[in-house]
Amino acid sequence: MTRPRITNKLILFFVASAIALLATYLFWSFAPEIKVLLEHRMGSNNASPSANTIIGAIKLFLVGIVGYLFVRALNFLFFGLAFRLKRIDAPKLIRNIFTIVAFTILFLIAFTFLFPGVNLGALFTTSAIFGVILGLALQDTLGNFFAGISLQADRPFQVGDVITVGAQRHTGVVEEISWRAIKIRTFQNHIVLIANSNAAKEPIEVCPRGNLNARLVFFNTLYTDSPAKTIHVVREAVREADNVSSKVTPIVRIRNLGDNGVDYEVKYWLEDYAKYNDTDALVRQRIWYAFRRAGLNFAFPTRTLHLERRTAGEARDGDGGAITERLSAVDIFAPLSAEETTLLAQAAVRHVFAPGETVIRAGEPGSSMFVVHKGRVSVQVSENGRPRTVATLNEGDFFGEMALFTGEPRTANVLALEETEVLEIGHSAMKKVFDSNPDLVESLSFIMAERRQGLASQADSTATTSESSAGILSAIKRFFGL
Ligand code: CMP
């Protein structure tokens, strides 16, 4: 407490004492007159308290105030002197207990003096129900009170110590131990109040203020860095840091040969444990700079990768065998050798479409064809603004060949009917197939001619399949330069 505040308190105390003493003196002096006045006013009414009782109660009240001020003065003198002479700083809890006990004794003396007819002992002992009610109401308060007394008696920690309390691990510096709670200030500058009765039941970790408390800080190095050198460099760097005690040399040791490097811990002792967060950070900083100067390296996560070389098709599909199998089951590719089908599978690109999604849009240019790998598609043309389904294609069927083989725009819309996976085969892959299998072109031209007929409405369909296929065949040959 600062000096002006003490002076203010003293002035206030003396003024209050003077007023209280004066009031008590005056009341005492004029008590007989006031009594007569009261008796005259109240008459002989039996129901109202007697003038004597009222005068006694007011006297007790005034004496109580004077007594309280007297006890406070006694408290100040007694504990102030103890601190001045013996440097004993009594805890607040002890001061409060002293005040309560001294005041209660004074009050009881005043009561028996002012009301000699009332037997206080009988009043308390006969009122059992009152005792039970009071006991229940004060259960927690008394629990805290007695736990507080036991904390003061045991003195497991003191103001200024760093403690960690209970399962919630509240950590902070003890600021006060009152009759109700322990007050700690956390390292986030929050105040936490822990009821004495709770603290008495919980485990408490204490780092006493005058004690050399230790901390551990972890770091790591590459496997190529020498442990002897690392230990020396870190020990020298840490022992110089602020708040690291010079009384004990820091210990640096290997704690694990880890996945990424060699794991170390440095154990150091602090002058002021309450500053351990800052000191930990400083120690880490010192280690970083020391590493820089000594050419040591922190380890970082490393992994050994085994690379497996895969073919282009497999890499894209991740399921090369199934694709080759699918293509070999397609009618038009039946004449291909196993090797040619595998090459075609490697060139194929897999796409997945959601139900209702458009795979091919009529009128757009196209340079690839598709095979339905999984699912179903619908081939549709627009007639009078309404879609007409020309065909439904299932797994193993192909589409998109018309634009690919003739260079013309797409002739129809193709939509996925369910979740559908298609294999896309491009122009260059098909050219290779045609080069080695010229007969394939002919069988394809027949299929395409049939499909063209299906596209045209009944009325418009005039050309025969054989006529159309001849024209298609020459168109394909021209387009592919066969
Ligand atoms: P393309 O014209 O490239 O794009 C639309 C595709 O729909 C077309 O190739 C054919 O593969 C396909 N197609 C058009 N008409 C039919 C049909 N009648 N039956 C099956 N598929 C067809």
Side-chain angles (χ1 to χ4, degrees):
M1 204 185 291
T2 52
R3 287 233 153 255
R5 278 190 67 189
I6 293 179
T7 321
N8 284 349
K9 273 196 152 193
L10 274 177
I11 293 170
L12 201 71
F13 177 79
F14 283 124
V15 170
S17 302
I19 293 171
L21 281 171
L22 187 68
T24 312
Y25 171 76
L26 287 175
F27 190 79
W28 228 272
S29 310
F30 292 104
E33 287 81 2
I34 296 170
K35 189 182 163 197
V36 172
L37 197 74
L38 277 172
E39 279 169 348
H40 178 72
R41 278 283 174 102
M42 290 190 300
S44 57
N45 189 351
N46 281 341
S48 55
S50 72
N52 265 341
T53 315
I54 295 174
I55 296 284
I58 296 172
K59 278 183 175 173
L60 186 67
F61 176 72
L62 290 169
V63 170
I65 294 174
V66 175
Y68 175 75
L69 292 167
F70 175 69
V71 169
R72 289 300 301 261
L74 218 59
N75 190 320
F76 184 73
L77 278 178
F78 186 60
F79 293 108
L81 272 182
F83 183 69
R84 278 268 165 112
L85 300 177
K86 302 253 174 190
R87 308 306 298 170
I88 300 169
D89 191 11
K92 204 173 167 189
L93 182 70
I94 300 294
R95 290 171 180 231
N96 288 347
I97 291 172
F98 172 84
T99 307
I100 291 167
V101 171
F103 181 73
T104 312
I105 292 169
L106 275 182
F107 185 83
L108 290 177
I109 293 171
F111 190 91
T112 25
F113 174 73
L114 290 168
F115 298 97
V118 181
N119 186 351
L120 266 183
L123 195 74
F124 282 112
T125 46
T126 50
S127 184
I129 295 175
F130 175 74
V132 170
I133 293 170
L134 201 68
L136 284 174
L138 293 179
Q139 206 175 25
D140 283 352
T141 314
L142 289 176
N144 284 331
F145 180 72
F146 287 113
I149 292 177
S150 112
L151 279 176
Q152 293 292 347
D154 281 357
R155 290 193 155 253
F157 52 82
Q158 293 175 28
V159 172
D161 291 352
V162 174
I163 61 168
T164 304
V165 185
Q168 282 148 328
R169 300 199 63 74
H170 293 296
T171 301
V173 182
V174 179
E175 286 211 333
E176 190 187 314
I177 307 163
S178 70
W179 59 271
R180 200 188 75 78
I182 302 164
K183 181 174 162 188
I184 61 172
R185 188 174 290 274
T186 68
F187 295 112
Q188 289 76 41
N189 206 23
H190 303 163
I191 298 287
V192 177
L193 292 168
I194 300 151
N196 288 340
S197 55
N198 290 345
K201 290 178 218 147
E202 301 273 11
I204 303 178
E205 185 185 327
V206 184
C207 301
R209 195 165 37 162
N211 186 47
L212 273 181
N213 301 295
R215 291 281 301 169
L216 289 174
V217 167
F218 305 113
F219 65 96
N220 62 8
T221 65
L222 291 181
Y223 271 105
T224 44
D225 291 333
S226 144
K229 181 178 173 185
T230 306
I231 289 169
H232 175 74
V233 165
V234 172
R235 192 172 49 217
E236 292 311 307
V238 172
R239 72 195 305 177
E240 301 278 294
D242 278 356
N243 199 29
V244 171
S245 172
S246 54
K247 291 180 194 137
V248 192
T249 310
I251 295 172
V252 185
R253 56 195 170 203
I254 294 177
R255 52 191 288 268
N256 190 27
L257 299 174
D259 287 347
N260 307 318
V262 184
D263 297 333
Y264 291 85
E265 67 186 16
V266 52
K267 183 177 182 182
Y268 70 94
W269 285 261
L270 293 105
E271 298 282 359
D272 181 359
Y273 190 74
K275 292 183 186 153
Y276 72 77
N277 279 321
D278 291 340
T279 315
D280 279 2
L282 183 66
V283 163
R284 291 188 193 103
Q285 195 195 72
R286 289 294 164 91
I287 294 174
W288 190 90
Y289 282 106
F291 266 39
R292 248 305 169 73
R293 289 192 299 275
L296 295 168
N297 305 283
F298 290 103
F300 43 85
T302 52
R303 291 276 181 278
T304 306
L305 299 179
H306 296 280
L307 294 176
E308 193 181 339
R309 190 172 287 283
R310 306 176 77 178
T311 57
E314 280 175 336
R316 267 200 304 275
D317 309 326
D319 190 13
I323 291 175
T324 311
E325 210 173 300
R326 164 67 62 220
L327 293 182
S328 59
V330 177
D331 294 348
I332 53 161
F333 298 132
L336 303 189
S337 69
E339 205 182 333
E340 284 170 332
T341 315
T342 309
L343 283 174
L344 199 63
Q346 285 171 1
V349 182
R350 208 146 84 165
H351 303 281
V352 184
F353 290 88
E357 259 194 304
T358 304
V359 184
I360 276 179
R361 198 161 274 117
E364 287 186 354
S367 58
S368 56
M369 62 174 283
F370 301 84
V371 172
V372 181
H373 187 37
K374 281 174 196 156
R376 277 181 323 132
V377 296
S378 158
V379 180
Q380 298 177 351
V381 287
S382 176
E383 245 179 36
N384 305 325
R386 290 168 155 235
R388 176 170 70 90
T389 300
V390 181
T392 301
L393 303 177
N394 299 307
E395 289 175 6
D397 291 335
F398 64 91
F399 59 92
E401 78 292 340
M402 291 186 179
L404 171 66
F405 297 149
T406 60
E408 291 167 7
R410 299 289 190 194
T411 55
N413 291 314
V414 180
L415 286 89
L417 289 175
E418 53 197 67
E419 191 188 84
T420 301
E421 232 177 291
V422 294
L423 307 172
E424 184 178 15
I425 301 165
H427 181 277
S428 60
M430 279 315 292
K431 179 152 175 29
K432 277 184 203 150
V433 171
F434 287 147
D435 282 341
S436 49
N437 295 277
D439 298 346
L440 212 70
V441 184
E442 206 165 337
S443 56
L444 257 171
S445 65
F446 273 107
I447 296 170
M448 284 169 64
E450 266 174 25
R451 287 186 169 181
R452 279 211 168 160
Q453 268 200 320
L455 281 176
S457 63
Q458 219 64 17
D460 298 343
S461 179
T462 45
T464 61
T465 307
S466 60
E467 276 169 3
S468 309
S469 73
I472 291 167
L473 181 65
S474 57
I476 296 174
K477 283 188 170 170
R478 251 199 330 272
F479 189 67
F480 277 85
L482 300 170

mmCIF file of all heavy atoms in Angstrom, residues 280-301:
data_model
loop_
_atom_site.group_PDB
_atom_site.id
_atom_site.type_symbol
_atom_site.label_atom_id
_atom_site.label_comp_id
_atom_site.label_asym_id
_atom_site.label_seq_id
_atom_site.Cartn_x
_atom_site.Cartn_y
_atom_site.Cartn_z
ATOM 1 N N ASP A 280 11.371 -19.973 -21.544
ATOM 2 C CA ASP A 280 11.333 -21.072 -22.520
ATOM 3 C C ASP A 280 11.555 -20.537 -23.939
ATOM 4 O O ASP A 280 12.328 -21.091 -24.725
ATOM 5 C CB ASP A 280 9.962 -21.766 -22.495
ATOM 6 C CG ASP A 280 9.847 -22.768 -21.357
ATOM 7 O OD1 ASP A 280 10.810 -22.889 -20.586
ATOM 8 O OD2 ASP A 280 8.788 -23.418 -21.248
ATOM 9 N N ALA A 281 10.861 -19.436 -24.235
ATOM 10 C CA ALA A 281 10.956 -18.855 -25.585
ATOM 11 C C ALA A 281 12.381 -18.366 -25.842
ATOM 12 O O ALA A 281 12.931 -18.572 -26.933
ATOM 13 C CB ALA A 281 9.969 -17.706 -25.718
ATOM 14 N N LEU A 282 12.972 -17.753 -24.824
ATOM 15 C CA LEU A 282 14.339 -17.237 -24.975
ATOM 16 C C LEU A 282 15.315 -18.388 -25.195
ATOM 17 O O LEU A 282 16.234 -18.300 -26.027
ATOM 18 C CB LEU A 282 14.721 -16.436 -23.727
ATOM 19 C CG LEU A 282 16.084 -15.780 -23.779
ATOM 20 C CD1 LEU A 282 16.111 -14.697 -24.849
ATOM 21 C CD2 LEU A 282 16.432 -15.160 -22.420
ATOM 22 N N VAL A 283 15.107 -19.471 -24.462
ATOM 23 C CA VAL A 283 15.993 -20.640 -24.598
ATOM 24 C C VAL A 283 15.905 -21.187 -26.028
ATOM 25 O O VAL A 283 16.925 -21.475 -26.662
ATOM 26 C CB VAL A 283 15.602 -21.720 -23.553
ATOM 27 C CG1 VAL A 283 16.172 -23.078 -23.909
ATOM 28 C CG2 VAL A 283 16.075 -21.289 -22.173
ATOM 29 N N ARG A 284 14.680 -21.282 -26.568
ATOM 30 C CA ARG A 284 14.517 -21.779 -27.951
ATOM 31 C C ARG A 284 15.218 -20.842 -28.928
ATOM 32 O O ARG A 284 15.859 -21.278 -29.874
ATOM 33 C CB ARG A 284 13.035 -21.886 -28.317
ATOM 34 C CG ARG A 284 12.334 -22.977 -27.551
ATOM 35 C CD ARG A 284 10.919 -23.206 -28.054
ATOM 36 N NE ARG A 284 10.214 -24.022 -27.093
ATOM 37 C CZ ARG A 284 9.313 -23.582 -26.212
ATOM 38 N NH1 ARG A 284 8.985 -22.308 -26.213
ATOM 39 N NH2 ARG A 284 8.738 -24.391 -25.358
ATOM 40 N N GLN A 285 15.097 -19.544 -28.665
ATOM 41 C CA GLN A 285 15.739 -18.570 -29.549
ATOM 42 C C GLN A 285 17.261 -18.729 -29.513
ATOM 43 O O GLN A 285 17.920 -18.751 -30.544
ATOM 44 C CB GLN A 285 15.345 -17.169 -29.085
ATOM 45 C CG GLN A 285 15.636 -16.096 -30.096
ATOM 46 C CD GLN A 285 15.574 -14.729 -29.451
ATOM 47 O OE1 GLN A 285 16.463 -14.372 -28.683
ATOM 48 N NE2 GLN A 285 14.543 -13.971 -29.747
ATOM 49 N N ARG A 286 17.797 -18.895 -28.310
ATOM 50 C CA ARG A 286 19.259 -19.054 -28.171
ATOM 51 C C ARG A 286 19.735 -20.307 -28.913
ATOM 52 O O ARG A 286 20.790 -20.322 -29.529
ATOM 53 C CB ARG A 286 19.647 -19.147 -26.698
ATOM 54 C CG ARG A 286 19.507 -17.844 -25.949
ATOM 55 C CD ARG A 286 20.509 -16.832 -26.484
ATOM 56 N NE ARG A 286 20.168 -15.482 -26.074
ATOM 57 C CZ ARG A 286 20.602 -14.895 -24.963
ATOM 58 N NH1 ARG A 286 21.407 -15.527 -24.168
ATOM 59 N NH2 ARG A 286 20.242 -13.664 -24.678
ATOM 60 N N ILE A 287 18.930 -21.365 -28.822
ATOM 61 C CA ILE A 287 19.307 -22.613 -29.495
ATOM 62 C C ILE A 287 19.363 -22.380 -31.013
ATOM 63 O O ILE A 287 20.278 -22.816 -31.694
ATOM 64 C CB ILE A 287 18.310 -23.751 -29.148
ATOM 65 C CG1 ILE A 287 18.416 -24.105 -27.661
ATOM 66 C CG2 ILE A 287 18.571 -24.990 -29.998
ATOM 67 C CD1 ILE A 287 17.378 -25.104 -27.170
ATOM 68 N N TRP A 288 18.383 -21.625 -31.524
ATOM 69 C CA TRP A 288 18.338 -21.370 -32.977
ATOM 70 C C TRP A 288 19.614 -20.655 -33.440
ATOM 71 O O TRP A 288 20.258 -21.047 -34.406
ATOM 72 C CB TRP A 288 17.107 -20.533 -33.319
ATOM 73 C CG TRP A 288 16.840 -20.427 -34.791
ATOM 74 C CD1 TRP A 288 16.080 -21.255 -35.549
ATOM 75 C CD2 TRP A 288 17.360 -19.425 -35.693
ATOM 76 N NE1 TRP A 288 16.081 -20.848 -36.861
ATOM 77 C CE2 TRP A 288 16.866 -19.726 -36.977
ATOM 78 C CE3 TRP A 288 18.190 -18.331 -35.538
ATOM 79 C CZ2 TRP A 288 17.161 -18.963 -38.094
ATOM 80 C CZ3 TRP A 288 18.498 -17.566 -36.654
ATOM 81 C CH2 TRP A 288 17.986 -17.887 -37.923
ATOM 82 N N TYR A 289 19.960 -19.599 -32.691
ATOM 83 C CA TYR A 289 21.156 -18.837 -33.100
ATOM 84 C C TYR A 289 22.425 -19.677 -32.951
ATOM 85 O O TYR A 289 23.318 -19.638 -33.791
ATOM 86 C CB TYR A 289 21.269 -17.536 -32.289
ATOM 87 C CG TYR A 289 20.337 -16.469 -32.788
ATOM 88 C CD1 TYR A 289 19.195 -16.125 -32.085
ATOM 89 C CD2 TYR A 289 20.592 -15.808 -33.993
ATOM 90 C CE1 TYR A 289 18.325 -15.156 -32.562
ATOM 91 C CE2 TYR A 289 19.725 -14.836 -34.475
ATOM 92 C CZ TYR A 289 18.601 -14.521 -33.760
ATOM 93 O OH TYR A 289 17.749 -13.567 -34.239
ATOM 94 N N ALA A 290 22.486 -20.438 -31.873
ATOM 95 C CA ALA A 290 23.677 -21.277 -31.655
ATOM 96 C C ALA A 290 23.801 -22.307 -32.778
ATOM 97 O O ALA A 290 24.901 -22.594 -33.264
ATOM 98 C CB ALA A 290 23.569 -21.965 -30.298
ATOM 99 N N PHE A 291 22.667 -22.860 -33.200
ATOM 100 C CA PHE A 291 22.676 -23.820 -34.318
ATOM 101 C C PHE A 291 23.223 -23.171 -35.577
ATOM 102 O O PHE A 291 24.006 -23.747 -36.301
ATOM 103 C CB PHE A 291 21.246 -24.321 -34.580
ATOM 104 C CG PHE A 291 20.911 -25.603 -33.867
ATOM 105 C CD1 PHE A 291 21.342 -25.850 -32.583
ATOM 106 C CD2 PHE A 291 20.147 -26.587 -34.496
ATOM 107 C CE1 PHE A 291 21.030 -27.022 -31.928
ATOM 108 C CE2 PHE A 291 19.840 -27.770 -33.861
ATOM 109 C CZ PHE A 291 20.276 -27.987 -32.572
ATOM 110 N N ARG A 292 22.739 -21.936 -35.820
ATOM 111 C CA ARG A 292 23.160 -21.208 -37.027
ATOM 112 C C ARG A 292 24.689 -21.077 -37.059
ATOM 113 O O ARG A 292 25.340 -21.357 -38.046
ATOM 114 C CB ARG A 292 22.561 -19.811 -36.994
ATOM 115 C CG ARG A 292 21.505 -19.465 -38.025
ATOM 116 C CD ARG A 292 21.987 -19.691 -39.393
ATOM 117 N NE ARG A 292 21.039 -19.645 -40.456
ATOM 118 C CZ ARG A 292 20.463 -18.553 -40.940
ATOM 119 N NH1 ARG A 292 20.649 -17.413 -40.405
ATOM 120 N NH2 ARG A 292 19.690 -18.635 -41.982
ATOM 121 N N ARG A 293 25.242 -20.621 -35.902
ATOM 122 C CA ARG A 293 26.686 -20.378 -35.838
ATOM 123 C C ARG A 293 27.476 -21.663 -35.940
ATOM 124 O O ARG A 293 28.532 -21.712 -36.560
ATOM 125 C CB ARG A 293 27.036 -19.661 -34.522
ATOM 126 C CG ARG A 293 26.578 -18.219 -34.464
ATOM 127 C CD ARG A 293 27.223 -17.518 -33.278
ATOM 128 N NE ARG A 293 26.851 -18.136 -32.017
ATOM 129 C CZ ARG A 293 25.751 -17.876 -31.328
ATOM 130 N NH1 ARG A 293 24.891 -16.975 -31.792
ATOM 131 N NH2 ARG A 293 25.491 -18.471 -30.195
ATOM 132 N N ALA A 294 26.960 -22.732 -35.333
ATOM 133 C CA ALA A 294 27.721 -23.991 -35.278
ATOM 134 C C ALA A 294 27.454 -24.880 -36.488
ATOM 135 O O ALA A 294 28.032 -25.969 -36.597
ATOM 136 C CB ALA A 294 27.360 -24.737 -34.002
ATOM 137 N N GLY A 295 26.588 -24.447 -37.386
ATOM 138 C CA GLY A 295 26.296 -25.254 -38.576
ATOM 139 C C GLY A 295 25.482 -26.508 -38.258
ATOM 140 O O GLY A 295 25.542 -27.496 -38.994
ATOM 141 N N LEU A 296 24.719 -26.453 -37.157
ATOM 142 C CA LEU A 296 23.833 -27.589 -36.837
ATOM 143 C C LEU A 296 22.474 -27.367 -37.503
ATOM 144 O O LEU A 296 22.122 -26.241 -37.844
ATOM 145 C CB LEU A 296 23.668 -27.713 -35.324
ATOM 146 C CG LEU A 296 24.947 -28.064 -34.550
ATOM 147 C CD1 LEU A 296 24.743 -27.880 -33.054
ATOM 148 C CD2 LEU A 296 25.374 -29.493 -34.850
ATOM 149 N N ASN A 297 21.719 -28.441 -37.668
ATOM 150 C CA ASN A 297 20.453 -28.344 -38.413
ATOM 151 C C ASN A 297 19.314 -28.961 -37.629
ATOM 152 O O ASN A 297 19.437 -30.052 -37.079
ATOM 153 C CB ASN A 297 20.562 -29.113 -39.734
ATOM 154 C CG ASN A 297 21.732 -28.648 -40.549
ATOM 155 O OD1 ASN A 297 21.685 -27.610 -41.183
ATOM 156 N ND2 ASN A 297 22.822 -29.420 -40.488
ATOM 157 N N PHE A 298 18.175 -28.249 -37.621
ATOM 158 C CA PHE A 298 16.961 -28.847 -37.043
ATOM 159 C C PHE A 298 16.443 -29.892 -38.023
ATOM 160 O O PHE A 298 16.538 -29.712 -39.235
ATOM 161 C CB PHE A 298 15.885 -27.783 -36.829
ATOM 162 C CG PHE A 298 16.226 -26.819 -35.733
ATOM 163 C CD1 PHE A 298 16.679 -25.543 -36.023
ATOM 164 C CD2 PHE A 298 16.113 -27.199 -34.404
ATOM 165 C CE1 PHE A 298 17.011 -24.665 -35.015
ATOM 166 C CE2 PHE A 298 16.442 -26.316 -33.383
ATOM 167 C CZ PHE A 298 16.895 -25.051 -33.699
ATOM 168 N N ALA A 299 15.902 -30.959 -37.473
ATOM 169 C CA ALA A 299 15.362 -32.011 -38.336
ATOM 170 C C ALA A 299 13.983 -31.595 -38.814
ATOM 171 O O ALA A 299 13.272 -30.857 -38.140
ATOM 172 C CB ALA A 299 15.282 -33.309 -37.564
ATOM 173 N N PHE A 300 13.627 -32.058 -39.989
ATOM 174 C CA PHE A 300 12.285 -31.807 -40.520
ATOM 175 C C PHE A 300 11.726 -33.158 -40.951
ATOM 176 O O PHE A 300 12.476 -34.102 -41.163
ATOM 177 C CB PHE A 300 12.344 -30.818 -41.688
ATOM 178 C CG PHE A 300 13.466 -31.103 -42.637
ATOM 179 C CD1 PHE A 300 13.303 -32.020 -43.656
ATOM 180 C CD2 PHE A 300 14.704 -30.482 -42.486
ATOM 181 C CE1 PHE A 300 14.352 -32.302 -44.511
ATOM 182 C CE2 PHE A 300 15.752 -30.761 -43.338
ATOM 183 C CZ PHE A 300 15.577 -31.682 -44.357
ATOM 184 N N PRO A 301 10.430 -33.277 -41.081
ATOM 185 C CA PRO A 301 9.856 -34.576 -41.423
ATOM 186 C C PRO A 301 10.411 -35.108 -42.744
ATOM 187 O O PRO A 301 10.454 -34.395 -43.733
ATOM 188 C CB PRO A 301 8.359 -34.291 -41.560
ATOM 189 C CG PRO A 301 8.146 -33.065 -40.784
ATOM 190 C CD PRO A 301 9.402 -32.267 -40.889
#
